[in-house]
Amino acid sequence: MYLKHISVKSYGPIENLSYSFREDEKGNPVPLAIIGKNGCGKTLLFANIVDMFVEMKRQIYPQGILEVNENNYYKVGNLSYIKSGTRTSEVKLELLASGKKTTYIDVMSLNPKQAIEAKEVADTRIQNNQKFKDSGFYKSTDLQGLTSKEFEKEIILYFPFDRFYKPFWYNPDNYNKMAINSSNNIGYSKTNIIKIDLLENIKEWFRTVHLQTHLRDISLPNHESLPPELRGKIVTIQQDTKLQTHLKTILATIKGDGSYSVSAPNRNLSTIGLQGPSIHCADISQLSAGELSLFAIALSIVREWDLFHTNDSLDLSDITGCVLIDEADVNLHIDFAYRALPALMKLFPRVQFILSTHSPFLLSGLKKEYGKNIDILSLPDGILIEDLNAFSEITTAYEVFNAETDKLTKQLALLKEENERVKALSNKIIIYTEGKTDVKYLKLAFEKLDGFDDIKDRIEYYDIEHAKDTGDGELEKIYAYLQKGNDTNIKICMFDRDKPKYTVHEPYVCGENNVYKFSLQVPSHRDSGDLISVEHCLTDEALKTIDTNGRRIFLSGEFGVTGITSDGLHLCHHRMGTNPLEIIDGSNDKKVYSTDGHDETNYALTKDDFVQHIIDNDPGFDMFSFEGFRPTLEIIKSIVEDADRN
């Protein structure tokens, strides 16, 4: 049961829309994503599609349907929906079910007589309809003899934008009807197209599915690895039914991080739990809003099929029908929108999905999952968005965001672990820095310079080697955070001097809880206004030491406006800033190449490799003077003396 064509004229904000649904190379329906700003007609279009299905059901089940009360319409007609500046609106939908074409027509006119005379209404059935002539309203649904058995072969589901929102066109007399269960009497429908309480719709069915058992006899091999009493015997084992397997597949697809198991249902508490890599909950109602939204939508599809198809051997690819999801990205994290929902839809290749969305991440995810087999329709103009190249930037943004989120999660775990280690210390001096090379230089300086034996054995360093390079902004936050603690340690935050915003101009600043901050001190071979980091406590001559591979540290000031060093031997494509002491660290665009054009070697030595040469006492790096670090160590000593006095 698939929609084949939509035609809308002068209805709401839509002036003229004509869209024919496509199939892919395997004959499966191509999903349709409807986009546009608020007020562009997306929900109005959904209302007409749902109204068509309701009118079909009304004829098929004359004794009663769940979507509306008695003879009520699902959608209230209102002349105010005729597009401003026009006189007549028309909505025409075509659907194919069991080889029979159903046609739905809804026409409204401010002046039916003039509309007929001006041939704004071409259908003679409408022209001759007295009700239309009198009221300006006409609605019909031609089923072409479609039977209830044919209708029930396929699913039809509509997931509204908001479970509690009643739009202007919605007939309020039907609202309480939504959640009422129908009898199984002949002539009554026992299902509801409109799903407004997803959890309650699926929860009991989900429990029932997992109360089922599937017992299977298997023959054990006559093998010495088995106990003698079991060799060659036939035993009965319990295994998942195919339906249970499908539901686990759905959950694993949503989470995207491994397999999941379902705990035995609790008969007394009416609960059923879920266990997996990132879910441990006693009942499905404890899932997050996004997880529950996707899980409930997918399970509603399977449940609806299961109501009329009792064969437990079904595959998800057997399910056919039409599923409408208004505002499909509601409650979804961008990962669920970009990855999970498109992957979930792919589990049901023969279901026709019609979505509305505001999410560029969902559109990009659909494009990635379906390739050319996705249609994106822009309202109110009704234009198909065929060039999806713009979404490549969104895909890149998502991947960067996802990678950074994963990195941050791991980082936080490491920082938490490091904080616990630091808290366990007592009467120590803990130094926090912006980067991991800062720690390495401080350790070297304390070892190479005399006069600090009384404090160096008390010093611990915050382990950013395994956390991250903190950075000045993060170090400022750490300084504020540490003051909220209550411990006996002296905490010192050391800032570089390359960012004036974070430079401490006093010798040091004392906060609460023995927390101090200061800036790296300017060595005698630098000017007081130089923007320096820890490496600049060494002389430029030392920094430019060449290793055995011909690589060295480069400073921004060595490159002219052309990006070439004054000796003409090296070039860098990095756009130089105003700080001539900026270190060109060999990363990304900060790579340095030979100017001969044939050598692709990156000659820029990283900060970490440089300090490692010093630590390893490599030739040329083993005789550096560390006197440039003495003023900084003197400040640390002064802070410790101040803290010990207090």
Side-chain angles (χ1 to χ4, degrees):
M1 184 178 299
Y2 301 137
L3 276 163
K4 303 303 287 183
H5 188 76
I6 296 174
S7 173
V8 181
K9 297 178 182 178
S10 302
Y11 185 71
I14 303 173
E15 182 174 353
N16 192 2
L17 164 66
S18 180
Y19 171 75
S20 294
F21 289 85
R22 294 194 298 127
E23 295 180 349
D24 64 18
E25 56 277 1
K26 296 180 180 179
N28 295 324
V30 168
L32 172 66
I34 302 171
I35 64 173
K37 296 179 180 179
N38 290 331
C40 71
K42 298 190 298 293
T43 303
L44 282 178
L45 183 57
F46 272 78
N48 280 277
I49 296 173
V50 177
D51 194 44
M52 174 188 69
F53 289 133
V54 170
E55 292 307 301
M56 291 173 66
K57 289 190 71 173
R58 190 196 302 278
Q59 293 184 42
I60 291 171
Y61 304 102
Q63 300 301 316
I65 58 176
L66 292 177
E67 289 77 9
V68 296
N69 277 318
E70 299 175 350
N71 295 320
N72 286 342
Y73 283 120
Y74 168 69
K75 177 175 66 70
V76 176
N78 195 305
L79 295 175
S80 65
Y81 277 122
I82 298 174
K83 185 174 175 61
S84 178
T86 64
R87 183 167 46 205
T88 303
S89 69
E90 178 187 84
V91 178
K92 186 176 181 180
L93 307 172
E94 294 178 1
L95 177 139
L96 193 65
S98 296
K100 299 174 181 178
K101 184 172 77 171
T102 294
T103 303
Y104 166 93
I105 299 176
D106 188 354
V107 177
M108 297 186 296
S109 181
L110 296 170
N111 191 320
K113 181 179 179 181
Q114 291 181 7
I116 292 171
E117 290 175 352
K119 299 191 182 305
E120 294 171 0
V121 179
D123 194 320
T124 56
R125 293 173 299 174
I126 305 176
Q127 294 174 354
N128 297 326
N129 184 274
Q130 192 59 46
K131 182 179 179 181
F132 175 72
K133 293 178 181 179
D134 295 339
S135 66
F137 293 95
Y138 177 87
K139 183 189 293 188
S140 74
T141 306
D142 184 0
L143 296 183
Q144 295 289 316
L146 188 70
T147 66
S148 61
K149 197 169 188 180
E150 292 170 327
F151 185 82
E152 291 169 357
K153 280 173 58 179
E154 306 182 60
I155 64 168
I156 303 171
L157 296 176
Y158 169 51
F159 299 95
F161 158 64
D162 194 301
R163 309 301 182 261
F164 305 102
Y165 168 67
K166 291 185 288 186
F168 179 68
W169 46 260
Y170 185 69
N171 189 333
D173 293 339
N174 300 323
Y175 190 72
N176 292 329
K177 184 74 173 174
M178 295 289 195
I180 297 176
N181 291 322
S182 172
S183 67
N184 287 322
N185 295 342
I186 295 175
Y188 287 90
S189 167
K190 62 181 181 181
T191 63
N192 193 334
I193 290 170
I194 306 161
K195 301 302 180 186
I196 63 165
D197 194 342
L198 294 186
L199 182 59
E200 291 308 312
N201 273 327
I202 65 163
K203 192 172 179 181
E204 189 57 36
W205 174 79
F206 185 61
R207 290 184 69 253
T208 302
V209 167
H210 282 88
L211 283 169
Q212 298 170 347
T213 58
H214 185 193
L215 302 178
R216 185 165 69 94
D217 292 337
I218 62 169
S219 297
L220 296 178
N222 189 7
H223 195 272
E224 59 183 14
S225 63
L226 294 173
E229 65 272 17
L230 293 179
R231 296 173 190 172
K233 300 293 184 181
I234 296 177
V235 297
T236 301
I237 63 170
Q238 180 176 326
Q239 63 179 184
D240 285 345
T241 66
K242 198 162 188 180
L243 192 53
Q244 290 168 350
T245 301
H246 290 327
L247 302 191
K248 291 179 181 179
T249 298
I250 287 170
L251 185 59
T253 301
I254 293 169
K255 294 299 293 178
D257 60 359
S259 60
Y260 284 80
S261 62
V262 180
S263 61
N266 187 310
R267 182 170 56 86
N268 294 326
L269 298 178
S270 298
T271 59
I272 180 167
L274 302 170
Q275 304 293 326
S278 58
I279 288 181
H280 302 277
C281 59
D283 188 59
I284 62 171
S285 59
Q286 296 172 356
L287 293 171
S288 71
E291 291 166 343
L292 188 56
S293 176
L294 292 179
F295 197 45
I297 286 174
L299 262 63
S300 295
I301 294 172
V302 180
R303 175 184 178 272
E304 200 78 6
W305 185 265
D306 189 47
L307 289 176
F308 297 103
H309 303 79
T310 56
N311 184 1
D312 185 58
S313 64
L314 74 92
D315 288 320
L316 297 182
S317 59
D318 294 334
I319 300 175
T320 58
C322 184
V323 172
L324 294 86
I325 312 176
D326 197 7
E327 304 291 5
D329 52 288
V330 168
N331 290 329
L332 299 186
H333 179 273
I334 65 167
D335 175 61
F336 282 173
Y338 175 79
R339 176 196 57 79
L341 180 53
L344 207 59
M345 290 165 57
K346 261 302 188 67
L347 295 178
F348 306 96
R350 298 178 65 195
V351 170
Q352 182 180 58
F353 286 98
I354 304 173
L355 320 172
S356 72
T357 182
H358 291 284
S359 170
F361 294 104
L362 174 54
L363 296 176
S364 184
L366 289 169
K367 173 61 179 173
K368 184 176 181 180
E369 191 71 55
Y370 283 93
K372 65 180 181 180
N373 293 320
I374 177 72
D375 278 352
I376 299 176
L377 185 67
S378 174
L379 293 184
D381 47 29
I383 295 175
L384 274 175
I385 308 298
E386 296 180 357
D387 182 9
L388 297 181
N389 290 332
F391 294 118
S392 62
E393 294 183 10
I394 298 166
T395 302
T396 302
Y398 165 79
E399 290 171 350
V400 170
F401 177 88
N402 211 38
E404 287 300 315
T405 300
D406 184 57
K407 180 180 176 182
L408 179 61
T409 301
K410 293 176 181 177
Q411 238 174 318
L412 289 174
L414 289 168
L415 289 173
K416 183 178 179 181
E417 183 180 331
E418 176 62 12
N419 277 332
E420 293 302 316
R421 182 186 74 85
V422 168
K423 281 186 198 175
L425 300 176
S426 177
N427 199 30
K428 289 285 189 178
I429 304 161
I430 305 168
I431 298 180
Y432 298 77
T433 64
E434 292 187 26
K436 57 188 177 184
T437 58
D438 299 58
V439 173
K440 294 178 180 179
Y441 279 112
L442 287 177
K443 287 181 177 179
L444 285 167
F446 274 114
E447 288 299 321
K448 292 176 179 292
L449 298 176
D450 57 12
F452 304 100
D453 291 344
D454 55 336
I455 66 169
K456 68 180 183 181
D457 290 337
R458 292 173 60 191
I459 293 176
E460 294 276 343
Y461 296 92
Y462 190 70
D463 185 16
I464 58 173
E465 174 74 34
H466 297 101
K468 67 168 283 191
D469 283 353
T470 309
D472 39 34
E474 289 82 359
L475 188 58
E476 186 67 42
K477 293 175 184 176
I478 289 174
Y479 172 74
Y481 173 76
L482 291 172
Q483 295 180 63
K484 300 175 183 178
N486 183 21
D487 60 272
T488 61
N489 299 309
I490 302 168
K491 283 79 62 180
I492 304 173
C493 296
M494 187 184 85
F495 289 82
D496 290 342
R497 301 186 80 92
D498 55 348
K499 299 282 182 63
K501 177 180 177 180
Y502 295 100
T503 299
V504 180
H505 297 287
E506 301 91 333
Y508 58 83
V509 173
C510 178
E512 301 292 328
N513 188 35
N514 274 347
V515 180
Y516 294 79
K517 70 175 178 177
F518 79 104
S519 284
L520 185 74
Q521 297 298 288
V522 181
S524 59
H525 60 270
R526 302 289 178 192
D527 293 331
S528 60
D530 284 348
L531 303 178
I532 63 170
S533 56
V534 70
E535 287 82 8
H536 297 103
C537 291
L538 296 172
T539 64
D540 286 356
E541 180 184 6
L543 287 176
K544 295 177 183 178
T545 300
I546 301 173
D547 71 5
T548 55
N549 294 315
R551 303 175 70 206
R552 69 170 177 88
I553 289 282
F554 285 87
L555 302 177
S556 176
E558 296 183 64
F559 298 89
V561 293
T562 59
I564 300 176
T565 53
S566 57
D567 59 12
L569 298 178
H570 296 95
L571 65 87
C572 180
H573 299 297
H574 173 60
R575 183 177 180 180
M576 304 301 165
T578 57
N579 181 15
L581 293 177
E582 177 192 359
I583 292 176
I584 308 303
D585 61 8
S587 64
N588 299 324
D589 61 340
K590 293 185 180 181
K591 294 177 180 177
V592 176
Y593 300 98
S594 170
T595 54
D596 67 11
H598 300 290
D599 186 357
E600 297 183 359
T601 303
N602 173 21
Y603 285 96
L605 193 63
T606 68
K607 295 178 182 180
D608 201 47
D609 286 344
F610 182 84
V611 72
Q612 194 59 46
H613 281 313
I614 301 174
I615 294 170
D616 295 339
N617 287 313
D618 289 338
F621 295 84
D622 52 354
M623 299 298 291
F624 292 162
S625 170
F626 269 72
E627 282 299 319
F629 290 88
R630 186 174 291 278
T632 294
L633 301 198
E634 292 287 358
I635 290 293
I636 294 174
K637 185 174 182 178
S638 297
I639 290 173
V640 173
E641 291 171 349
D642 178 69
D644 286 343
R645 283 194 301 269
N646 298 324

